[in-house]
Amino acid sequence: MTVIESVAPEQAEAAKLPPGVVVEGPLVDAKFLDSYIGFGFLVGGSIAALIWVFTQGIGWVEISVFAGMFALTTVGIGFMHRYFVHRSFRCGPVMRTILAAIATMTVQGSILKWVSNHRRHHLHSDKPGDVHSPYYDGSGNSHVSFRKGMMHAHGGWVWDRETTDGAYYARDILADPIAMFFTRTRWYWVALSAVIIPGAIGYVFGGVHTMIGCVLFSGLFRSYLMTMATSLVNSVCHSDGRWGYRRFETHDGTTNELVTSLLTFGEGLHNNHHRFPRDAYLSHAWYEIDINGLIILGLGKLGLVHDIVGVGKRQLAADGEQGGAAESQNAFDGAAEDLHSAGR
Ligand SMILES: [Zn+2]
Ligand SMILES: [Zn+2]
């Protein structure tokens, strides 16, 4: 059965959105302001970057800073996703501050917004109420075509006239002074990631000309491309097997897609992730390369993070034992746990 067939009976309920979705009002206006600023910043900067590349040219400094910052922020989205959303591991306040800084430097909105949207996505995955599904728009209506659905999932959703209520989905974030500090100061971290760090490195290694190239190419253009790579998880990895493969028969259109997995350091193993949402390490086979998961396991070995969820527990489930594996079966349990506590 395809996802479209499996969710069709709910179509009549489309107008009735679930709780935690805000339609119109100041929160939606604030979301649009964020979207306009972010979109203008990244698209304007990317156009300028391409003009600069073809008229002025770039060198190894710009390319190296591009690669380094792309890698850093791709790890950052792994922390945003697996730590702040799903609590796949735990850590102390110093480590949480570092994770929050890198996560906010991904230029994908505040921790509060990202966490709220993603928990809502899991709770209503590819059903009415999902924030970015190829099958339903933000109002819960079915998309008129698969192509339009894909465009909505890939980025069009940020222009829906509704938003996610952080007070409903992310009370733990609202109660966390570190996460909220980075939520309030998010634009400074965006500036650091997209302008100040690339510009400073460019100036040190090549003067003003290289500095401009680094800001445009390694800062703004890189932020745009990295956001597009992450968005493949919402579109390609929810294509119901049109791209990639489904290891598990989940109640959504999720797939594992290996090119997306390489570009996103493992986030493209999305069918595995929806099946075991709290797992810190998403790979189930040698060819499923999960760099973000390996980094978390490495941090665990160094003693910088602890209580890593999922490791060793799948085998318990395979052996028919109860206990550890059961906690990662429910698609929303990681978030639900945090909805009822301000715990870490
Ligand atoms: Zn998903
Ligand atoms: Zn997730």
Side-chain angles (χ1 to χ4, degrees):
M1 183 185 284
T2 68
V3 167
I4 292 173
E5 285 165 346
S6 68
V7 294
E10 297 184 34
Q11 194 104 358
E13 300 278 323
K16 208 171 71 179
L17 284 169
V21 181
V22 179
V23 181
E24 303 295 342
L27 276 179
V28 175
D29 293 341
K31 166 196 158 166
F32 265 75
L33 185 63
D34 269 19
S35 296
Y36 281 125
I37 295 172
F39 194 73
F41 198 52
L42 295 189
V43 171
S46 296
I47 293 168
L50 291 175
I51 293 170
W52 181 270
V53 168
F54 289 112
T55 58
Q56 303 293 317
I58 53 166
W60 283 110
V61 176
E62 290 91 332
I63 292 167
S64 302
V65 176
F66 181 108
M69 293 298 290
F70 191 101
L72 178 74
T73 50
T74 301
V75 173
I77 219 62
F79 292 148
M80 179 83 92
H81 184 207
R82 302 186 202 187
Y83 178 67
F84 286 104
V85 176
H86 293 296
R87 305 294 181 181
S88 297
F89 58 90
R90 290 171 190 265
C91 63
V94 173
M95 198 62 198
R96 192 158 69 252
T97 303
I98 295 168
L99 301 185
I102 302 173
T104 310
M105 283 169 62
T106 57
V107 192
Q108 292 191 15
S110 70
I111 293 175
L112 178 63
K113 191 161 113 179
W114 213 101
V115 168
S116 305
N117 279 335
H118 193 73
R119 287 179 180 169
R120 180 179 146 201
H121 165 66
H122 272 269
L123 187 60
H124 303 289
S125 186
D126 291 327
K127 306 282 190 297
D130 189 348
V131 63
H132 43 57
S133 172
Y135 309 100
Y136 290 95
D137 66 19
S139 304
N141 298 308
S142 183
H143 290 300
V144 293
S145 70
F146 182 70
R147 188 183 64 83
K148 288 215 159 143
M150 275 290 151
M151 288 169 65
H152 176 264
H154 196 75
W157 61 276
V158 302
W159 304 108
D160 285 337
R161 287 227 55 96
E162 52 82 20
T163 192
T164 308
D165 186 1
Y168 186 85
Y169 279 101
R171 288 217 300 263
D172 58 318
I173 299 294
L174 286 165
D176 178 353
I178 294 174
M180 287 311 293
F181 170 78
F182 284 92
T183 292
R184 279 191 302 274
T185 58
R186 63 191 180 280
W187 291 113
Y188 293 102
W189 300 95
V190 166
L192 204 62
S193 171
V195 178
I196 296 169
I197 291 176
I201 297 173
Y203 185 75
V204 167
F205 285 97
V208 172
H209 190 271
T210 308
M211 179 187 80
I212 296 170
C214 274
V215 168
L216 294 176
F217 180 76
S218 324
L220 298 167
F221 185 52
R222 180 263 311 162
S223 296
Y224 179 74
L225 278 193
M226 186 269 169
T227 301
M228 289 296 103
T230 305
S231 298
L232 292 172
V233 176
N234 300 339
S235 54
V236 165
C237 294
H238 272 269
S239 65
D240 199 21
R242 285 171 179 82
W243 297 291
Y245 59 92
R246 284 168 63 77
R247 179 178 294 283
F248 301 105
E249 276 308 310
T250 49
H251 297 290
D252 51 40
T254 53
T255 67
N256 298 327
E257 205 283 312
L258 297 180
V259 175
T260 304
S261 295
L262 287 175
L263 289 172
T264 58
F265 288 5
E267 301 301 322
L269 301 170
H270 205 53
N271 178 246
N272 294 356
H273 169 60
H274 272 256
R275 178 64 185 81
F276 297 103
R278 291 203 70 190
D279 276 9
Y281 183 58
L282 306 182
S283 171
H284 287 245
W286 66 266
Y287 52 84
E288 294 179 347
I289 299 165
D290 178 18
I291 293 173
N292 279 342
L294 290 172
I295 287 171
I296 293 167
L297 296 183
L299 291 173
K301 291 262 186 251
L302 293 172
L304 296 171
V305 307
H306 53 90
D307 291 331
I308 300 173
V309 175
V311 180
K313 290 179 177 172
R314 286 191 208 115
Q315 192 54 46
L316 288 174
D319 294 343
E321 293 184 32
Q322 295 299 311
E327 76 174 80
S328 63
Q329 306 286 314
N330 184 332
F332 197 48
D333 61 359
E337 176 187 288
D338 291 318
L339 284 176
H340 301 294
S341 78
R344 307 286 173 257

